[in-house]
Amino acid sequence: MKKLRLILVAILLIFTLASCTQIVSNTADQIRLNNWKTVLKNESIVTMNFNEDIATFSVKKNNKTYLKLKGVCIFDKDSLVIFDEKTSYNYSFDYIVTGNKLKLNYGGNSITLKKLKNV
């Protein structure tokens, strides 16, 4: 009986230590495992969020959505591509991550988003 308790405690300890938290192991994970946002001078709100491999990039102002890209997102070492489900078009962004900032470049324009703190 004492041996059975020891085994049960060991199993519980293993499950406790082997938790299911997400671990950031590369730049793509750092982007994908966080939510990103910025507010522009014209008060537009730009966000980028992820749900597993699905990315949502949106631009809103006064609760009206001006742009929304949503679809499968694929990363390489310096760019990401969102295959927009609605338009069936690929949108390719070059990116640079420094600290809590994500700089996205598209078509010669750039925008810097800030990482939101996880609640």
Side-chain angles (χ1 to χ4, degrees), residues 6-47:
L6 183 59
I7 292 172
L8 288 174
V9 169
I11 290 172
L12 288 173
L13 185 61
I14 289 170
F15 282 120
T16 302
L17 294 176
S19 63
C20 295
T21 59
Q22 296 173 327
I23 297 172
V24 176
S25 61
N26 56 44
T27 305
D29 282 348
Q30 183 178 357
I31 297 170
R32 189 177 54 81
L33 296 175
N34 290 288
N35 294 318
W36 304 87
K37 177 181 177 180
T38 194
V39 179
L40 303 177
K41 290 179 184 177
N42 69 358
E43 298 179 6
S44 295
I45 299 170
V46 181
T47 59

Side-chain angles (χ1 to χ4, degrees), residues 63-99:
N63 291 326
K64 181 179 179 187
T65 302
Y66 288 92
L67 172 69
K68 183 176 182 179
L69 307 176
K70 182 178 181 179
V72 174
C73 184
I74 300 170
F75 290 88
D76 70 10
K77 70 176 188 152
D78 57 2
S79 65
L80 62 93
V81 177
I82 300 174
F83 178 75
D84 185 46
E85 298 166 348
K86 187 174 181 180
T87 63
S88 297
Y89 188 77
N90 291 327
Y91 294 88
S92 180
F93 298 86
D94 292 330
Y95 68 79
I96 299 171
V97 177
T98 51

Side-chain angles (χ1 to χ4, degrees), residues 44-62:
S44 295
I45 299 170
V46 181
T47 59
M48 182 170 238
N49 303 304
F50 294 86
N51 184 4
E52 296 188 17
D53 290 334
I54 304 296
T56 303
F57 178 87
S58 67
V59 179
K60 295 180 181 181
K61 184 175 180 181
N62 298 328

